Amino acid sequence: MIIRTSEIIWTQIDQILNRSFNQNRTLEWGIIGVVEKLGDEVFLIREIFLPTQKDLDQSEGGLIFSSPYIRRAQLWAQRQGKSGLVFFHTHPLANDQVSFSWFDDTQEPLLIKNLREIWPGSEHISIVVGKNAYKGRVYLQGERAQDLMKLYVIGRTIKVISLFGNRVQPPMPSHIFDRAKEVTSAGALQILKDMKIAIIGAGGTGCLMVELLRRAGCGNLLLIDDDIVEDTNLNRLLFASSTDVEEKNKKVSVALRANDQCVLENKLEIIDGNVTNPSVLHKLSGIDLLIGCIDKDYPRYVLNDFAVKYFMPYVDLGSEIGIAGEKLQSLDARVTYVYPGGPCLNCRGLIDHERIRLEGLQLQERRRHIGLGYCQDIDIKQPAVMELNMRAASFAALFIRHLVQPFLDQGGEMDFRESITSMTIKKVGLKSPKMECAVCGYKYNFV
Amino acid sequence: MEQTLMLKQLSEAVAGGFNACDRMENGQLYMLVNGVPTLNKDWTIATVDMLISVPNTYPVGGLDAFYIDSALMLHNGQKHPRVQPAPNILGKSWGVVSWHYNKPWSFSDTFLTHIYHCQDFLRKGSRSN
Ligand SMILES: [Zn+2]
């Protein structure tokens, strides 16, 4: 099981806990947060309750959270229908190794028991913090405490904190990655290897992302698409053949076949489905990074909404060829990164609600609406070529390396668009900077 | 769209005094509103049936335009210029009304507010443009 939180929340937690290590290293500090379970494997921390001086009893050689402090968090969390609480506390003298003390082992079960009496069915987490190490355990319903594996901090970058209690030395990577270790070190490679990455869309861009991420060392990929291979896809669909067209094979099957034939050790799972189907979307609960390679606006809206709701890092990419009459006007490749606290695809103006309306109508009905002359025809097949898709995919894959081992000078507000016709790369601004976003609540407040 | 949301918004429309129900044809969901008051003496009839197509991406994808019973005429014997011919839907003859919003669909808009918006066309009679 893992925990996920945002950089904004983690910074606040870290500030409190760091007092133990900045000062004379005698006082234990702690903080209570609220957890929310997502699927079977993930706990989210979205709210924390900053302690005041009287909330923590630091006098007895072991930290005790005051009853009113616990009660305040518990009442709020229970009312909001959350799963439980998370208790962080420090062991000021621990450095590279930390473990629960005898005091923790005797006091904690009593605390959990008390909490469950007033809040039946609740599940709680405890994390003990040393200077350079963290150890975590979870009290699931009706079970003994279980070890937690990792805490993902999602923001401008992705930080992974091991909860095993010591500083883990990453294993020596396979020689396959020798020539990439300056860009992605052993530690970062281990993160990519463990991370579960979902690629949504197995078309011209999605198939390239699968290939690039496998070769970057990503170990657990999930590919989702419900389309079959058509002859007009063959100009850009990696590994697809005319036999796939004749046999009406699914795009995901083509990717799986290629993956099985390769010596790289990554796993590739496929889903023949669409994220607009709630049961398919639900399967993304245990995912650590979303990659959107879809050209329809409604599934992109659904993914964006899911990422915003559940603190998921989401890289969305695409390419567009603009035609005016007979003339080629633009060749654009775009990569956008959505993370908690930052603007989403909606406030960046990358989701068109009029298109979503039309996408939701049956073909005949849609043709009638388009016939009224008030909206763009979304049934025209857009031009697409592999080399333009490659520009977007290549940058997205590099950006994912950057997320786990930063190297971009201005990686922050990632919304980048490259124009091949003008040979320029630019960052894209927000569409309606003065309005609060209806999806993520983002208000324009960065320069 | 979610069944519960549809039922909620249909009940709201009914509570608002409209005889609204859901219908499906060829996989397309419609809201049928029977006997909507036309509210203007320019029309030859006092009430009219209305049909609204609902996208399966609703409520993110909003509502726009509507169908009106092809019997709707102005007293001059003409159809309103905004009403264009439409095919038979649910076994009935309709005209499609090119009647749009000048603001984006928002989450506070509902079936009921859309019926009001469509009724505005009727209220304005021959002055609707
Ligand atoms: Zn937003």
Side-chain angles (χ1 to χ4, degrees):
Chain A
M1 302 200 81
I2 64 141
I3 307 176
R4 189 160 60 230
T5 192
S6 72
E7 195 178 85
I8 297 167
I9 287 176
W10 183 247
T11 308
Q12 296 179 66
I13 294 174
D14 208 33
Q15 256 171 16
I16 300 280
L17 301 177
N18 251 322
R19 291 179 190 168
S20 279
F21 309 109
N22 291 341
Q23 296 166 357
N24 56 8
R25 298 190 70 169
T26 52
L27 284 185
E28 287 192 18
W29 281 88
I31 178 167
I32 301 177
V34 175
V35 288
E36 185 180 324
K37 206 170 178 185
L38 173 62
D40 296 328
E41 287 166 61
V42 184
F43 279 99
L44 301 177
I45 305 176
R46 263 202 273 233
E47 294 88 13
I48 47 168
F49 286 79
L50 293 174
T52 61
Q53 198 66 48
K54 61 181 192 308
D55 288 335
L56 304 175
D57 177 357
Q58 299 162 303
S59 59
E60 290 181 26
L63 179 83
I64 295 174
F65 294 102
S66 78
S67 302
Y69 183 32
I70 298 172
R71 185 83 176 129
R72 199 162 78 225
Q74 172 259 322
L75 274 175
W76 186 89
Q78 194 172 0
R79 259 205 318 269
Q80 299 285 323
K82 307 286 178 176
S83 313
L85 301 180
V86 54
F87 300 89
F88 287 91
H89 77 283
T90 59
H91 285 179
L93 297 175
N95 283 316
D96 292 350
Q97 280 208 323
V98 70
S99 57
F100 289 102
S101 65
W102 176 83
F103 184 82
D104 299 332
D105 288 340
T106 47
Q107 293 303 305
E108 223 170 70
L110 296 176
L111 170 66
I112 304 298
K113 187 167 168 282
N114 284 339
L115 273 170
R116 282 189 177 154
E117 271 167 21
I118 46 172
W119 186 4
S122 52
E123 298 185 317
H124 306 280
I125 287 174
S126 172
I127 294 174
V128 56
V129 180
K131 191 162 193 265
N132 305 311
Y134 301 78
K135 186 162 177 64
R137 59 189 177 195
V138 56
Y139 292 83
L140 295 174
Q141 259 172 292
E143 286 180 41
R144 295 169 71 102
Q146 235 180 65
D147 283 344
L148 284 164
M149 286 157 60
K150 278 173 225 170
L151 190 154
Y152 279 86
V153 181
I154 312 300
R156 288 162 198 246
T157 62
I158 296 176
K159 189 172 162 190
V160 185
I161 293 169
S162 159
L163 297 177
F164 288 122
N166 48 22
R167 282 182 103 170
V168 190
Q169 276 301 320
M172 273 290 284
S174 149
H175 282 306
I176 295 172
F177 303 109
D178 269 7
R179 299 279 298 276
K181 64 187 180 211
E182 283 75 17
V183 185
T184 306
S185 68
L189 192 62
Q190 191 60 39
I191 295 174
L192 291 180
K193 195 173 170 205
D194 293 343
M195 210 152 62
K196 293 179 191 148
I197 303 178
I199 298 148
I200 297 91
T205 314
C207 69
L208 293 171
M209 283 311 292
V210 173
E211 196 55 23
L212 291 172
L213 293 182
R214 296 167 63 216
R215 289 176 196 274
C218 298
N220 291 291
L221 302 176
L222 169 67
L223 183 65
I224 304 178
D225 198 310
D226 59 359
D227 263 1
I228 56 165
V229 182
E230 293 178 50
D231 51 2
T232 52
N233 303 144
L234 295 181
N235 76 326
R236 61 194 188 283
L237 198 61
L238 222 48
F239 310 117
S241 68
S242 46
T243 315
D244 291 312
V245 179
E246 282 158 29
E247 294 178 355
K248 295 187 166 31
N249 287 334
K250 295 280 178 166
K251 289 175 180 172
V252 285
S253 310
V254 172
L256 184 64
R257 187 179 66 210
N259 197 73
D260 288 346
Q261 284 166 0
C262 185
V263 291
L264 289 163
E265 285 170 5
N266 71 292
K267 286 185 222 133
L268 175 69
E269 202 192 315
I270 55 169
I271 295 177
D272 169 12
N274 194 307
V275 288
T276 57
N277 175 344
S279 69
V280 174
L281 189 66
H282 180 76
K283 294 194 174 135
L284 296 178
S285 302
I287 292 296
D288 304 313
L289 173 63
L290 296 173
I291 316 226
C293 305
I294 23 184
D295 54 7
K296 285 213 168 77
D297 277 35
Y298 188 54
R300 283 173 63 240
Y301 177 91
V302 170
L303 270 185
N304 179 68
D305 189 54
F306 193 76
V308 167
K309 249 187 209 140
Y310 300 118
F311 280 2
M312 276 190 177
Y314 169 28
V315 177
D316 187 85
L317 62 149
S319 58
E320 198 176 69
I321 300 179
I323 309 282
E326 298 269 288
K327 197 174 175 299
L328 180 67
Q329 212 168 37
S330 63
L331 290 161
D332 290 346
R334 175 190 57 83
V335 179
T336 310
Y337 176 49
V338 176
Y339 62 92
C344 73
L345 295 187
N346 188 57
C347 42
R348 288 188 185 281
L350 292 167
I351 290 175
D352 181 343
H353 288 247
E354 180 63 4
R355 280 187 83 98
I356 292 180
R357 181 177 78 80
L358 294 171
E359 283 174 15
L361 296 173
Q362 293 296 310
L363 184 64
Q364 271 189 342
E365 186 64 29
R366 182 161 70 233
R367 296 314 305 165
R368 268 174 239 147
H369 281 252
I370 290 168
L372 292 174
Y374 274 81
C375 34
Q376 265 192 337
D377 193 343
I378 65 164
D379 292 319
I380 297 170
K381 290 274 182 214
Q382 292 300 320
V385 294
M386 192 173 201
E387 51 274 46
L388 188 62
N389 294 343
M390 276 176 154
R391 306 289 297 192
S394 149
F395 197 86
L398 276 169
F399 181 71
I400 289 161
R401 285 184 192 266
H402 159 82
L403 284 176
V404 295
Q405 183 177 321
F407 56 80
L408 293 172
D409 290 343
Q410 298 179 327
E413 307 299 342
M414 175 49 60
D415 187 2
F416 132 105
R417 198 179 287 262
E418 182 187 44
S419 158
I420 302 292
T421 47
S422 65
M423 281 294 171
T424 52
I425 294 179
K426 63 177 182 203
K427 283 183 155 190
V428 185
L430 295 180
K431 195 184 179 188
S432 318
K434 285 192 183 110
M435 267 163 66
E436 187 175 324
C437 176
V439 177
C440 70
Y442 190 86
K443 284 184 205 145
Y444 190 78
N445 59 4
F446 67 89
V447 280
Chain B
M1 78 175 288
E2 275 177 44
Q3 189 76 8
T4 45
L5 178 68
M6 185 176 74
L7 290 175
K8 182 174 173 265
Q9 297 213 350
L10 273 178
S11 335
E12 208 181 83
V14 171
F18 294 101
N19 185 9
C21 59
D22 58 307
R23 287 283 182 270
M24 183 80 94
E25 187 170 275
N26 299 327
Q28 179 63 53
L29 177 67
Y30 295 95
M31 172 171 49
L32 174 66
V33 195
N34 286 315
V36 180
T38 50
L39 307 174
N40 192 307
K41 289 186 183 134
D42 290 353
W43 307 109
T44 56
I45 46 178
T47 63
V48 69
D49 295 346
M50 207 183 252
L51 187 71
I52 294 154
S53 52
V54 183
N56 61 25
T57 50
Y58 186 85
V60 184
L63 305 178
D64 191 47
F66 64 106
Y67 296 96
I68 198 95
D69 190 326
S70 60
L72 186 78
M73 292 283 181
L74 293 164
H75 274 299
N76 62 9
Q78 305 271 307
K79 283 198 187 299
H80 192 284
R82 263 188 185 266
V83 182
Q84 296 167 23
N88 276 20
I89 304 171
L90 304 168
K92 189 176 159 83
S93 159
W94 303 93
V96 59
V97 189
S98 189
W99 188 245
H100 311 282
Y101 287 93
N102 49 18
K103 62 173 182 54
W105 180 266
S106 89
F107 288 119
S108 57
D109 292 320
T110 61
F111 285 3
L112 179 62
T113 62
H114 188 65
I115 298 174
Y116 286 144
H117 166 75
C118 298
Q119 211 181 11
D120 253 2
F121 166 80
L122 296 169
R123 181 183 287 112
K124 289 179 181 157
S126 57
R127 290 176 299 113
S128 266
N129 58 40

